[in-house]
Amino acid sequence: MKQYDLFERIEKQDAIDILNGQIRTCRGCKLHITRKHALSGEGNIDARIMFIALAPGIKEDAQNRMFIGPSGQIFNKLLMASGIDRKLVFMTNLVKCMLPQNRKPEKDEIKACSQFLDREISIIRPEVIVPLGLYATQAILTKFHTESGAAGLSFSKMNGHLVISDRQKIFPLPHPAALLYNPSFESSTIDKYKKLHSYL
Ligand code: SF4
């Protein structure tokens, strides 16, 4: 855990509370029409590790909680197997509102929502950002101006490897939902998640 003085921590909590209020009432793109809840980030505001998933699933949308559906159960299993306590991390989504029928996010939706993710990163100031899956990874690599074509590498080659750009550590990992379709990748995925342990 990071160390702060009391006032800095109160300021940080206030900033995240204000931001969460803005997310909850946002109508910045058409996804507000089909959502029940716009999900703000959840977890430890002093976290060294910030996970960024794609978007809330149907259960998360209904109950207004991060990672409680089938992907969330796999996420918990991956964290447990990797020795990472969920209480020590911060979790959020690239797109804060559910994507109907689990469709892909559109560019204008990612763009409209990026202000919230940018703000979460600047408030939490994680040592390591962990984008989960292709879309979150592309967005984070672009935000931090990765060099040498890192943003152009295929996700399968990139995940599980640390990238440092603009002095930010970025560690792309497979999205837990990928194991719903390819359970045979479980042990290799756990091995990749285990590499995060050194940042706790
Ligand atoms: S996806 Fe983001 S920009 Fe679009 S309505 Fe939801 S919170 Fe607003």
Side-chain angles (χ1 to χ4, degrees), residues 10-29:
I10 291 170
E11 271 180 18
K12 200 173 181 185
Q13 187 64 61
D14 285 349
I16 208 88
D17 289 346
I18 290 167
L19 177 66
N20 290 349
Q22 292 167 348
I23 293 170
R24 278 194 290 273
T25 54
C26 176
R27 295 181 171 206
C29 78

Side-chain angles (χ1 to χ4, degrees), residues 22-33 35 37-39 55-56 94-99 108-116:
Q22 292 167 348
I23 293 170
R24 278 194 290 273
T25 54
C26 176
R27 295 181 171 206
C29 78
K30 59 186 172 302
L31 290 175
H32 84 271
I33 299 165
R35 75 173 186 224
H37 294 100
L39 257 70
L94 176 65
V95 172
K96 312 301 187 197
C97 298
M98 184 184 69
L99 294 159
D108 63 318
E109 293 160 352
I110 294 174
K111 193 172 172 204
C113 216
S114 64
Q115 52 163 328
F116 297 128

